[in-house]
Each structure stands twice: as C-alpha cells, then as structure tokens.
C-alpha cells in the first residue's frame, strides 16, 4: 500500500466521521476527533536513528472523551514503505483550566531495510524495531495564546541490534495563534530536549513555524532540529523540512432525549 493511498484512506474515514459518530457517548460527554496529515520533503525524528531522510507522509489522529485519549500516529515514505507507527493510550491525571498532567503509553514500531543473502544474491527486506514507551507530560497554559510543557519519556526496546533503553526529556513552548493581518495567522512551537540512547547522550533545540489562512484547513510548516552537543549516532547535524499540513477537528455530542408530559 502506498503512503498516499494510506493518507487517502485516513482522510475518507475522517470525512465519514460525522456519520459514524452520531450516536456516540452519553449526553454531556462529547467525543472529539482531531488530527492532521503532513506531506514533507524530509522525514526526520528527534531520535537520529529513527530518521527517514527522504520525503514522507505523516498522519496524526486523536480520539478524546473526558480524560481519555487514543492517539495513533502513522508515517510512510512517499515511495510507500512504512516508517513509524505508534498507538498512544493517554489519561489526564489532572485536568484544570490552566494546568494538566497526562500519562500515556504506546508500542512504537520503527521500520527499516536490511540486506540479506538469498541464494547467494543480496535481497533487501523490511525489518522492524519494537519499543515500548511510557510518558508523563506536565502542561501549563500561561495565557490564551501561550502554553508550556515539560515531558519525560522512557522506552525499552525488544529487538537485538535496536534501541535497548531510551530516556527523552523535553521542554516545549507553544505560541498560537499569532495574527498576521486580518486573514492569516502563524504558530510557533519551540523545544529544547535531552535524549539518552543506551548511555549515549545528546542535547538539541528544535522549532516548528506554521503559517496559514484563518478559515482554510491547509497550511505550511517549517521545522528544524539543531544538535547542541551529542554522542548519539548517527550525527545528522542541522536538519530541516517543509511540510504541507491539513488539519481537522470534529466534536460529537449526543443530544438529551426530548421528554413528553403525560
């Protein structure tokens, strides 16, 4: 299945979501379905060994109700090869107007290519690394447009030759929306993060800048990642990409049944 076909399947599901979710949930407990689809010239990851290094399509989906969230993420190269899949299950331990504390877990799958000999001829096959990841995220909303978060992830790998132990600490600040005239807006997400992969350490800074029309779901995004000091292989140096992004959000709430007097 090609990456574009996978994105089209997801988009078709989202287009049908209003019909599929008309009867979801009791009154007062809305189901929120949201996410985004990205097409980028360079798929890279904060974990260097997980980077793709070629054009990619990435789909993020979130299904929320009350404090629970299911958030699968799927990414493919534009040549149709799977890249990474994650299936986050998350719960908000604290959910206040200006502060939240969320815990989550996922099985992350990272696909790659390995060359083997078959009948004395080299053959390229698809392989997969499996990593169990847990996280805790503390988020503060400083104003209507500015929020900040501190997150810690711990991962444990299952496959020989892959990641064994992963520690990932991130501080992020998000500013959105930033008005640009009357019809356009920009967004900024800046991060500083520390990773430890099997005892090898690295510090990085990263940012994503988005730009789009206030009433149009498609926008542009520029992202970069710059190592400050790192021992983590491979050392990719400064990396960047440009993405075309489609965002969506649906909210469904079952209406109270009408009462009749008798």
């Amino acid at each position: 299945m090609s990456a574009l076909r996978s994105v089209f399947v997801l988009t078709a599901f989202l287009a049908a979501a209003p019909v599929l979710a008309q009867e979801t949930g009791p009154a007062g407990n809305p189901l929120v379905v949201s996410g985004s689809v990205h097409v980028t010239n360079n798929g890279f990851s904060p974990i260097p060994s997980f980077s793709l290094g070629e054009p990619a399509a990435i789909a993020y989906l979130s299904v929320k109700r009350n404090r629970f969230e299911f958030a699968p993420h799927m990414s493919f190269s534009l040549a149709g090869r799977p890249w990474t899949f994650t299936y986050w299950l998350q719960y908000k331990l604290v959910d206040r107007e200006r502060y939240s504390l969320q815990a989550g877990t996922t099985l992350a799958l990272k696909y790659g290519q390995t060359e083997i000999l078959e009948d004395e001829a080299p053959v390229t096959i698809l392989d997969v690394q499996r990593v169990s990841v847990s996280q805790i995220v503390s988020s503060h909303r400083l104003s209507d447009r500015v929020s900040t978060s501190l997150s810690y992830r711990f991962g444990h790998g299952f496959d020989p030759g892959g990641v064994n132990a992963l520690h990932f600490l991130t501080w992020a600040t998000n500013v959105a929306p930033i008005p640009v005239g009357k019809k356009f807006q920009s967004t900024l997400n800046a991060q500083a993060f520390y990773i430890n992969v099997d005892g090898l350490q690295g510090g990085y800074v990263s940012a994503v800048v988005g730009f789009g029309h206030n009433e149009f779901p498609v926008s542009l995004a520029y992202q970069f990642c710059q190592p400050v000091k790192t021992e983590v292989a491979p050392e990719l140096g400064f990396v960047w990409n440009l993405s075309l992004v489609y965002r969506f959000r649906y909210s469904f709430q079952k209406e109270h049944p009408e009462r009749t007097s008798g």
Side-chain angles (χ1 to χ4, degrees), residues 97-136:
E97 183 179 0
R98 294 288 183 179
Y99 174 75
S100 67
L101 182 66
Q102 181 171 272
T105 186
T106 186
L107 176 65
L109 305 177
K110 190 272 179 181
Y111 292 87
Q113 292 182 303
T114 300
E115 191 173 272
I116 63 171
L117 289 177
E118 188 173 288
D119 296 330
E120 299 185 355
V123 177
T124 300
I125 63 171
L126 196 67
D127 63 12
V128 61
Q129 292 184 44
R130 300 165 299 164
V131 183
S132 174
V133 184
S134 298
Q135 74 170 7
I136 187 92

Side-chain angles (χ1 to χ4, degrees), residues 45-53 110 129 163 195 197 200-201 204 227 230-239:
S45 168
I47 303 170
S49 62
F50 282 17
S51 290
L52 180 65
K110 190 272 179 181
Q129 292 184 44
V163 171
I195 59 176
V197 181
L200 300 177
Q201 305 177 72
Y204 303 77
T230 184
E231 308 167 328
V232 181
E235 295 188 18
L236 302 179
F238 177 82
V239 290

Side-chain angles (χ1 to χ4, degrees), residues 144-185:
D144 291 341
R145 294 179 179 173
V146 181
S147 61
T148 185
S149 66
L150 182 66
S151 65
Y152 168 69
R153 292 182 178 182
F154 169 73
H156 172 71
F158 298 100
D159 301 292
V163 171
N164 180 37
L166 168 68
H167 301 271
F168 197 121
L169 183 65
T170 305
W171 174 65
T173 297
N174 188 66
V175 184
I178 305 170
V180 181
K182 295 182 178 181
K183 296 183 178 181
F184 296 89
Q185 65 179 13

Side-chain angles (χ1 to χ4, degrees), residues 185-207:
Q185 65 179 13
S186 182
T187 60
L188 171 64
N189 180 273
Q191 297 185 357
F193 57 92
Y194 161 85
I195 59 176
N196 184 312
V197 181
D198 297 332
L200 300 177
Q201 305 177 72
Y204 303 77
V205 292
S206 177

